[in-house]
Amino acid sequence: MRRPFAILWLTVTAVLIVASRGPATVRAQQPPADPLRPAPNRRADEGRGPFKTLVIRGVTLIDGTGAPPTGPVDVVVSGNRITAVRSAGTPGVSIPANRQPQAELDLDATGMYLMPGFVDMHVHAGGAPKNADAEYAYKLWLAHGVTTVRGVPMAGNALTVSEKQRSAKNEIVAPRIVNFQRPGSGWDKGVVDSPEKAREYVQWAAANGVDGLKLGAERPDIMAALLDEAKKVGFGSTAHLQQSGVAHMNAIKSARLGLNTVTHFYGHFESLLKDYVVQPWPVEMNANDEQMRFGQVARLWDKIYEPGGPEWKAYLQEHLKLGTVFDPTFTIYSAGRHVMAFRNADWHDKYTLPSLMDFYTPSRTSHGSYWYNWTTEDEVAWRNFYQVWFRLVNDYKKMGGRVTTGSDSGFIYQTYGFGYINELEMLQEAGFHPLEVIQAATLNGAVTLAEPKRQPVEFGVVRAGMLADMVIVDQNPLENFKVLYGTGAVRLNDKTGKPERVGGIKYTIKDGIVYDTKKLLADVAAMVEKQKRERAAKPTTNSRPDLQVGRRPTGRQRPRFFKRLIARRRSLSLSKP
Ligand SMILES: [Zn+2]
């Protein structure tokens, strides 16, 4: 850039930024606009039902409790409740016709499999500049069988509360929304920086539509106050014990204070360090450099007590006694062990928005896009790390500990919905039987959400009396979880000699409303197509102007460039895998 122009540009931009901020007093009174756009109202042609009587006939049931598949059965639904699960005959013998009851909608699911709707315990719905529309994430979740999401947070508090209510009334096409927020989110009293303020925030949150706490490795006195107050108001809690605070608040210390769930892996290995009390970081470490941050975490795998040894067992046994839930989110770090595979995943072209793909692309400012110089050595470290992490989670399951499924998609090449199915595959890789995976994905999530409220579960298992949240697929998911991906699984057809894609969930039923998942996916594909067309017509709509090599924005576009940069920096602070 030539110098006089550069100076002029910087001056104009500085003036524009200052002008756009306005007086500080005005800003303090107005909550910042949420970068996420609420979903449009559900159209009449989106989803069928609920029905006075809906019968799903002849299906093989995987009920979510861990029981083996059984069928054929008829599942009877009235309104938004399952009212009966009835035997429809014996395998190998033709099913008797004209079975009762008569239904308003008959779904012939002969040869198909039915499961409870999945519970994704760790989500964020995105927002500009990744995906401006909540509808994008919602439809991908539903298309992958997710009927309940726990936002940690899903979006800012005001927006999440209103989307949660709209979803509960089925005014929008979306899973059930459970609203967990970080301390201080949504209120106007600033940072929670004392135990008194911590208690005050929890009371405020309970009165303002929050369902539970997403915590970090908080200061010990604040952590204790938050968790104690949470128990009083029936809040659940889940913590990402980030590296900056883990030295004083690791997983076992948090659990002793009453934390319900440890999400990701942060805090586990720091509780098991063998020769140190902090991770032995390289001396040039800078935690604000994301390649260092995400590269170095994997180096913990051989700094801990021997997996399976006495300290390891004692650690897990104490968690078991305390009732800690592990929500590993294996999927969200999985590109770290093979970035090429996820950068080129089957679904990106059709279902990942170009703006989301931009966000995943190596960058020093987009959160989780830490591939500045990702090496073989980094991937080897992550592969070793995963072996130890898998063993920790599987050993916990083996001794009776509860494990749930969370995806944290929208970062690190994991697109909503698809990333969730990857989590199911990775639990199996960790040593779970496929039925244990389904149990983790359904009943375990439902129990974990209901327990702090001291309420019985209402979903997560298919039986009479439960809410009608279900997933139907025309392939056996226990044989191959890949059939649950929206893009299906590739299989060679021996009749034609050609490979073809099989599966993809057929129907997702939420609250008695039947969604044809192929339609949901077509809507998402249309959003992706639309953005591609807009970009082709107007190349400067790229949400990552720094990626447009050789293009220099014109004077008119420069302020937009800065606005986007600021929006992106804001979206970083919302959520950190
Ligand atoms: Zn997260």
Side-chain angles (χ1 to χ4, degrees):
M1 189 181 301
R2 275 167 300 165
R3 258 189 125 192
F5 287 105
I7 290 164
L8 179 69
W9 175 45
L10 284 172
T11 312
V12 170
T13 310
V15 168
L16 278 169
I17 288 174
V18 171
S20 70
R21 288 183 143 197
T25 46
V26 175
R27 255 192 308 140
Q29 285 161 5
Q30 288 169 344
D34 205 295
L36 187 71
R37 198 153 40 214
N41 284 329
R42 183 162 75 98
R43 297 187 317 262
D45 65 337
E46 291 187 294
R48 291 178 284 169
F51 299 97
K52 210 171 152 204
T53 312
L54 157 70
V55 185
I56 302 147
R57 297 198 191 269
V59 80
T60 300
L61 172 68
I62 301 169
D63 74 0
T65 64
T70 183
V73 300
D74 292 344
V75 178
V76 184
V77 175
S78 179
N80 69 344
R81 294 269 169 192
I82 299 167
T83 52
V85 178
R86 298 178 174 173
S87 169
T90 309
V93 178
S94 62
I95 303 179
N98 302 321
R99 302 188 300 283
Q100 290 300 312
Q102 295 286 309
E104 206 179 334
L105 178 73
D106 250 314
L107 272 188
D108 180 11
T110 310
M112 298 187 196
Y113 289 78
L114 182 143
M115 293 166 277
F118 302 142
V119 184
D120 190 336
M121 296 290 275
H122 190 133
V123 308
H124 314 282
K130 301 199 286 193
N131 56 292
D133 292 298
E135 181 187 8
Y136 175 75
Y138 295 167
K139 286 188 169 168
L140 281 173
W141 285 329
L142 283 174
H144 290 89
V146 174
T147 52
T148 300
V149 293
R150 176 168 71 179
V152 290
M154 192 191 82
N157 191 52
L159 179 61
T160 308
V161 168
S162 84
E163 291 292 89
K164 175 187 160 181
Q165 289 164 349
R166 294 173 76 211
S167 174
K169 289 185 257 174
N170 296 304
E171 289 171 4
I172 54 175
V173 180
R176 295 177 197 282
I177 294 165
V178 179
N179 177 23
F180 277 37
Q181 293 287 341
R182 284 192 180 266
S185 163
W187 77 349
D188 56 7
K189 294 192 177 173
V191 182
V192 171
D193 53 5
S194 69
E196 297 71 37
K197 232 166 163 184
R199 290 184 189 278
E200 198 189 340
Y201 176 75
V202 174
Q203 290 296 336
W204 178 90
N208 284 276
V210 178
D211 299 311
L213 295 178
K214 165 71 177 297
L215 301 171
E218 318 288 342
R219 230 172 66 190
D221 55 341
I222 294 177
M223 191 79 162
L226 286 164
L227 290 169
D228 182 57
E229 204 68 21
K231 202 174 274 176
K232 292 183 199 161
V233 300
F235 269 17
S237 57
T238 181
H240 167 164
L241 300 164
Q242 86 285 357
Q243 292 157 322
S244 61
V246 75
H248 64 216
M249 190 48 65
N250 62 28
I252 201 68
K253 287 179 188 169
S254 306
R256 285 173 192 154
L257 291 176
L259 176 72
N260 293 148
T261 296
V262 176
T263 192
H264 310 309
F265 50 79
Y266 300 101
H268 285 311
F269 299 115
E270 291 86 347
S271 305
L272 285 165
L273 283 169
K274 189 159 162 267
D275 298 319
Y276 303 90
V277 291
V278 297
Q279 180 173 349
W281 305 104
V283 290
E284 68 275 18
M285 181 68 189
N286 179 350
N288 203 26
D289 175 310
E290 285 210 349
Q291 164 137 9
M292 278 195 172
R293 177 179 148 195
F294 285 94
Q296 283 301 320
V297 292
R299 269 70 175 182
L300 266 175
W301 72 275
D302 59 355
K303 309 289 188 297
I304 60 169
Y305 287 111
E306 193 198 343
E311 295 85 358
W312 173 282
K313 278 188 189 145
Y315 174 72
L316 292 177
Q317 266 152 4
E318 188 174 356
H319 274 304
L320 184 66
K321 217 172 134 199
L322 292 165
T324 314
V325 178
F326 289 6
D327 185 48
T329 70
F330 289 129
T331 167
I332 196 57
Y333 306 96
S334 61
R337 60 179 187 167
H338 194 184
V339 67
M340 209 192 297
F342 282 99
R343 195 167 60 220
N344 295 293
D346 285 17
W347 40 84
H348 287 320
D349 182 45
K350 203 168 169 190
Y351 299 111
T352 301
L353 283 168
S355 53
L356 184 53
M357 206 63 194
D358 287 347
F359 190 86
Y360 298 150
T361 304
S363 155
R364 289 203 175 255
T365 51
S366 298
H367 175 53
S369 306
Y370 44 82
W371 326 100
Y372 315 153
N373 179 25
W374 200 249
T375 64
T376 310
E377 192 190 318
D378 288 311
E379 295 201 343
V380 169
W382 269 103
R383 285 175 204 168
N384 287 325
F385 179 83
Y386 264 108
Q387 292 313 306
V388 181
W389 188 16
F390 283 152
R391 170 132 193 219
L392 186 87
V393 174
N394 196 42
D395 281 0
Y396 192 51
K397 175 215 74 183
K398 283 199 264 184
M399 62 171 67
R402 192 190 306 148
V403 177
T404 55
T405 52
S407 71
D408 205 7
S409 297
F411 302 92
I412 322 181
Y413 292 116
Q414 297 299 334
T415 296
Y416 309 100
F418 295 98
Y420 184 78
I421 303 304
N422 187 42
E423 183 69 8
L424 306 190
E425 288 202 89
M426 291 184 81
L427 279 173
Q428 184 168 359
E429 187 179 351
F432 283 50
H433 183 278
L435 279 170
E436 292 174 333
V437 176
I438 300 294
Q439 183 191 48
T442 58
L443 185 59
N444 288 4
V447 171
T448 304
L449 293 174
E451 228 168 32
K453 298 189 283 186
R454 299 165 195 98
Q455 285 171 0
V457 295
E458 286 218 281
F459 50 80
V461 53
V462 176
R463 67 165 177 250
M466 292 286 147
L467 288 167
D469 289 1
M470 292 174 278
V471 174
I472 300 172
V473 56
D474 65 0
Q475 306 284 320
N476 183 353
L478 303 181
E479 183 200 7
N480 185 6
F481 283 124
K482 291 182 196 298
V483 303
L484 301 174
Y485 284 117
T487 40
V490 175
R491 196 179 291 165
L492 183 67
N493 182 333
D494 281 321
K495 282 185 192 134
T496 63
K498 295 211 168 80
E500 59 188 28
R501 286 191 180 266
V502 299
I505 290 167
K506 213 165 169 56
Y507 303 108
T508 299
I509 302 173
K510 177 223 166 188
D511 229 12
I513 299 173
V514 182
Y515 291 100
D516 180 336
T517 57
K518 302 288 187 266
K519 277 191 190 164
L520 296 172
L521 287 167
D523 289 351
V524 171
M527 289 181 219
V528 173
E529 266 309 301
K530 182 168 171 271
Q531 202 188 72
K532 283 183 180 172
R533 277 198 312 275
E534 283 166 1
R535 285 184 170 212
K538 213 169 51 166
T540 50
T541 54
N542 191 324
S543 68
R544 283 276 308 277
D546 52 312
L547 291 179
Q548 294 176 354
V549 182
R551 276 198 68 88
R552 191 191 298 162
T554 65
R556 267 165 56 86
Q557 286 155 344
R558 272 168 196 143
R560 269 220 323 245
F561 170 97
F562 274 90
K563 263 193 209 158
R564 288 196 189 107
L565 209 68
I566 291 159
R568 189 162 72 235
R569 287 210 154 267
R570 272 199 200 122
S571 78
L572 305 188
S573 58
L574 256 186
S575 47
K576 295 193 181 289

